[in-house]
Amino acid sequence: MIGAGFMAKAHSMAYASMPMFFTNTEATPYRKTIVDVTEELAKAAAERLGFENYSTDWRSVVEDPEIDIIDIVTPNDSHAEIAIAAAKAGKHIISEKPLARNAKETKEMLEAVQQAKVRNMVAFNYRKTPAVALAKKFIDEGAIGKIMNFRGTYLQDWSADPESPLSWRFQKDKAGSGALGDIGTHVIDFAHYLVGDIAEVMATTQTWVKERPIQTGGIDSLGNVKGGNTEKGPVDVDDEISTLLRFKNGAVGSIEATRNAWGRHNFLTFEIHGEKGSLYFNYERRDELQVCFAEDGDDRRGYRTIYTGPAHPYGEGLWPIPGLGIGYSETKIVEVYHLIEAITKNQECEPNFLDGHKIALVSDAMLESAESQRWVRVDL
Ligand code: NAI
């Protein structure tokens, strides 16, 4: 595992817990080595997160013959270099999202994994929420008919405070983009997963807080440690993006993402309107999928709430009755389960680097549109 911050904890918990939830897997993940550029962090993470050893040099680790999977949980600027080296060394790879800073990098990563024929996954874990997979099932079954509109949001407020420090997430050379790459890409993933490929975009971006206190220390604490009176540096990414969409299949829609929406914490939503019904999901109520089927009689037609449980996707592995609750950790557990299944059964991962590359193409088109103030086609 390369990187020892927030996502290292989430992924390590998932490797440890996955075999307790999904008992039918043919392989049990084993946590061998964790790497961080900061030795102190790497050492502490190895002890806390259950790794056998640690290192400060990812290059020595990607060559280790005892390691089968490289898990990339570093900031976005190092994903491409690490993934390409790991593919050349014949390792299966899971990389955090966005797959990289831009589509030029994701294309190189995609070519590397295709050439090496290694399994590759990009960690858009929100699609692993049972209610989201249930929405996909209903759409595939034709329960809401042909889709007309997808309306997605990802609203947070952790950076609304100007004292929230200038971490790597506010620097273009490290992050690629701001709210778009960090959270908007999760909504693009929902759009691709549930509706289909996006063909054209029209976007506008804003940077509300133009400079922030420089962060000290390696880990981004997502605004929880304020910058105080330290020196300030410029923010060169978007705080907010609003985008209109046209899909290849004729559907239309919109995506909004911001980290400056006071009162919204992880307000990741979609509403999908089809010719025969509608679906609504809000991650802040992640056990629930709201559905409305047009064929219901006039006197009872309306949104109703399905509480996910054993009758729904991943129900065989997760908790035995609806209402016990699904959390962020469970989405990561399902993600690891799918990764291990793909490797042992020699199947494609979903989502994979091709999905990550398509999302990068859409993101690049959104930034180009925000610049030119015109509709921009996505060349997939
Ligand atoms: P973080 O700032 O908490 O941790 C990153 C760690 O990587 C730091 O400890 C840093 O010292 C280390 N690092 C940086 N460059 C390195 C290198 N070359 N070699 C080894 N270690 C290096 O960051 P966080 O929040 O864990 O984000 C990591 C990735 O995960 C990002 O791509 C981010 O977009 C993604 N992410 C995904 C989420 C999801 O829900 N799927 C949620 C949060 C982050």
Side-chain angles (χ1 to χ4, degrees), residues 150 152 180 188 198-206 240-247 251-257 361-378:
F150 169 93
L180 169 60
I188 302 172
I198 293 169
E200 265 186 302
V201 297
M202 170 78 207
T204 184
T205 56
Q206 281 296 326
E240 173 159 344
I241 181 156
S242 310
T243 308
L244 291 174
L245 314 170
R246 289 193 191 115
F247 290 83
V252 295
S254 63
I255 288 178
E256 288 178 73
L361 288 168
V362 172
S363 304
D364 283 5
M366 286 176 174
L367 292 176
E368 192 188 326
S369 167
E371 192 69 37
S372 66
Q373 284 299 289
R374 290 173 195 279
W375 281 92
V376 173
R377 283 175 54 83
V378 182

Side-chain angles (χ1 to χ4, degrees), residues 144-220:
I144 63 162
K146 182 171 177 295
I147 293 172
M148 299 181 289
N149 192 296
F150 169 93
R151 186 178 287 115
T153 71
Y154 202 152
L155 316 178
Q156 297 184 325
D157 69 357
W158 61 269
S159 75
D161 183 345
E163 290 305 309
S164 181
L166 185 74
S167 70
W168 64 263
R169 282 183 166 81
F170 297 95
Q171 300 169 46
K172 191 166 194 276
D173 63 334
K174 296 197 174 65
S177 63
L180 169 60
D182 196 19
I183 56 178
T185 49
H186 281 293
V187 193
I188 302 172
D189 182 56
F190 277 175
H192 279 176
Y193 177 55
L194 297 168
V195 183
D197 287 345
I198 293 169
E200 265 186 302
V201 297
M202 170 78 207
T204 184
T205 56
Q206 281 296 326
T207 303
W208 299 115
V209 181
K210 296 197 181 341
E211 53 175 30
R212 292 179 179 274
I214 289 167
Q215 185 194 322
T216 49
I219 294 187
D220 175 16

Side-chain angles (χ1 to χ4, degrees), residues 1-9 11 35-38 41 55-58 72-79 81-82 95-98 123-126 154 167-169 181-182 186 215 217-222 328 331-332 335:
M1 183 171 293
I2 322 292
F6 174 26
M7 277 307 101
K9 177 174 164 182
H11 287 217
V35 183
D36 202 285
V37 277
T38 311
L41 281 176
S55 166
T56 53
D57 174 19
W58 63 262
I72 305 171
V73 282
T74 52
N76 311 341
D77 58 333
S78 48
H79 293 186
E81 196 185 4
I82 299 171
S95 170
E96 260 305 339
K97 46 52 57 182
F124 284 107
N125 53 296
Y126 289 119
Y154 202 152
S167 70
W168 64 263
R169 282 183 166 81
D182 196 19
H186 281 293
Q215 185 194 322
I219 294 187
D220 175 16
S221 63
L222 294 151
Y328 187 77
T331 66
K332 285 289 180 194
E335 180 172 88

